[in-house]
Amino acid sequence: MNLIPVGVLGTGRHVPERILTNQDLEKMVDTNDEWIRTRTGMRERRIARPDEAASDLSVPAAQEALKRAGITAADLDLIIVATVTPDMAFPSTACILQEKLGAKKAAAYDLSAACTGFIYGLANASNFIALGTYKYALIVGVEVLSKITDYTDRNTCVLFGDGAGAVVLGAVPEGHGFQSFELGADGAGGELLKLEGGGSRNPSSPASIEQKLHYLYMAGAEVFKFAVRVMGSAAEEALRKAGLTKEDIDLLVPHQANIRIIQSALHRLHVPEEKCMINLDRYGNVGAASIPMALAEAAETGRVKEGDRIVMVGFGAGLTWGASVLVW
Ligand code: UT7
């Protein structure tokens, strides 16, 4: 069977207006700008309004991606939203977005792979297009992590922010587009990063609120070790599957969880920092939105040119990881 080459036709991103700086956080918990900058690389992050939900952030990002792709919402065959902070448990944020965009003929579903969700979503959608099932797909990575963050817990509240990134996928010329995907999961690490409340194990109740189960929990140091290991290995495996080597990387677009995690991946892959998109200083860790936001910024600011080999790599709760090689 002949597969259709699939690539990115357009990108978009959107963040809420409100900025939460390290100095603001100093007034909220026992922390300081120096600790946050040296331990994480972060300076500020964006925070949604109380009335702003995932679909609200997704709309402008999606519209920008559609515009850059030169298509309209009515052309979309598929919408996948990767998020751990959907508007609500159901209907899916993808269905809410479908309605808001007017993407009448698009199938729509959410995908749960935490910060790796965007890479999982790309792999999902590109298969539909490669097989000729669908022509155009919209993949959105969006998070409103501020709504599940405990702003009395300094271990987590300095890290997370809100935002959305979107791409439109479609057919591209031979030799361009996605060259490989490497996806993985290790459910044994599920306890390290989780939000327990509001599901069928611990439905929302006064007791679940009392126990703070509606906030995300993270064993930071353990996740850090996992991330350092898996970022390098996932990227290497994606390169191997694409028949490429580390030397072929023109731009690395990593999940923006911690500058030290990114630096260790750069070291392992022998990639200099100028060949890496870094935006965590301005946005913090935006979960599933972090890779598409960084990719959109790279596209907008001329960091990528036609034929460049981009490696996207991420990890997250699950535990999950994923990487992809994309020729621009
Ligand atoms: O995208 C999803 C995945 N999330 C991540 O990738 C996060 C991965 N983990 C990390 O990025 C890092 O583990 C953190 C940034 C969360 C923490 O950095 P760390 O170097 O692992 O610090 P630590 O947890 O070992 O804590 C070191 C010290 C502790 O104090 P003691 O026990 O040594 O006295 C913490 O209590 O730093 C303290 N600490 C803080 N101090 C000031 C923790 N958070 C803060 C803070 N401000 N915000």
Side-chain angles (χ1 to χ4, degrees):
M1 191 194 304
N2 277 337
L3 294 179
I4 298 162
V6 185
V8 174
L9 305 182
T11 59
R13 59 185 172 134
H14 179 75
V15 288
E17 267 170 43
R18 187 181 152 212
I19 296 174
L20 182 70
T21 64
N22 291 353
Q23 287 72 23
D24 295 329
L25 286 159
E26 283 177 357
K27 294 176 200 136
M28 297 160 67
V29 286
D30 179 16
T31 189
N32 59 78
D33 174 53
E34 210 258 332
W35 190 97
I36 301 172
R37 273 191 294 100
T38 54
R39 305 309 289 168
T40 74
M42 295 165 189
R43 287 190 287 115
E44 57 187 50
R45 57 298 283 144
R46 297 302 181 103
I47 305 295
R49 294 191 311 266
D51 66 339
E52 224 168 10
S55 68
D56 303 318
L57 299 183
S58 302
V59 170
Q63 285 171 336
E64 194 175 295
L66 287 166
K67 196 169 162 212
R68 286 175 197 271
I71 66 164
T72 68
D75 297 318
L76 287 172
D77 301 299
L78 176 67
I79 298 174
I80 299 176
V81 173
T83 187
V84 296
T85 47
D87 284 25
M88 57 191 87
F90 66 88
S92 68
T93 300
C95 284
I96 297 170
L97 182 61
Q98 187 236 30
E99 165 63 12
K100 287 187 173 180
L101 292 173
K104 295 280 183 217
K105 72 167 174 179
Y109 56 89
D110 287 1
L111 190 153
S112 175
C115 306
T116 321
F118 178 72
I119 306 265
Y120 270 61
L122 292 178
N124 240 255
S126 69
N127 282 345
F128 283 116
I129 298 168
L131 290 169
T133 312
Y134 293 139
K135 197 167 173 206
Y136 296 116
L138 172 72
I139 323 305
V140 179
V142 58
E143 301 293 1
V144 197
L145 294 171
S146 64
K147 305 263 179 130
I148 58 164
T149 297
D150 177 359
Y151 284 96
T152 65
D153 174 17
R154 70 173 184 176
N155 291 298
T156 53
C157 76
V158 303
L159 302 172
F160 299 107
D162 304 337
V167 296
V168 171
L169 302 189
V172 293
E174 204 67 50
H176 290 68
F178 297 106
Q179 306 297 304
S180 67
F181 284 101
E182 163 68 9
L183 306 178
D186 177 9
E191 292 298 314
L192 301 179
L193 186 47
K194 61 185 177 182
L195 187 143
E196 291 185 276
S200 54
R201 176 83 50 208
N202 293 290
S204 298
S205 67
S208 78
I209 306 282
E210 173 77 22
Q211 293 168 63
K212 296 191 168 192
L213 299 185
H214 56 302
Y215 290 135
L216 73 81
Y217 163 85
M218 179 171 73
E222 280 75 17
V223 175
F224 188 97
K225 279 180 237 155
F226 155 75
V228 164
R229 184 164 42 82
V230 84
M231 289 276 274
S233 60
E236 283 173 356
E237 193 51 25
L239 284 163
R240 192 193 61 74
K241 286 181 179 173
L244 298 172
T245 66
K246 297 172 194 175
E247 288 68 36
D248 295 316
I249 301 175
D250 293 307
L251 187 72
L252 188 75
V253 183
H255 173 44
Q256 310 279 317
N258 187 316
I259 191 67
R260 292 182 291 138
I261 294 172
I262 293 176
Q263 281 162 346
S264 88
L266 289 174
H267 181 73
R268 174 156 171 183
L269 296 168
H270 306 300
V271 171
E273 205 158 306
E274 55 279 10
K275 284 190 178 182
C276 181
M277 266 314 289
I278 296 170
N279 65 9
L280 55 71
D281 51 324
R282 285 163 288 138
Y283 301 120
N285 180 347
V286 202
S290 95
I291 293 176
M293 277 172 58
L295 184 69
E297 184 174 339
E300 282 165 38
T301 55
R303 290 283 300 269
V304 278
K305 56 181 190 313
E306 201 200 325
D308 275 358
R309 284 161 298 225
I310 300 171
V311 174
M312 293 176 276
V313 58
F315 66 92
L319 298 169
T320 53
W321 60 90
S324 177
V325 176
L326 169 67
V327 175
W328 198 248

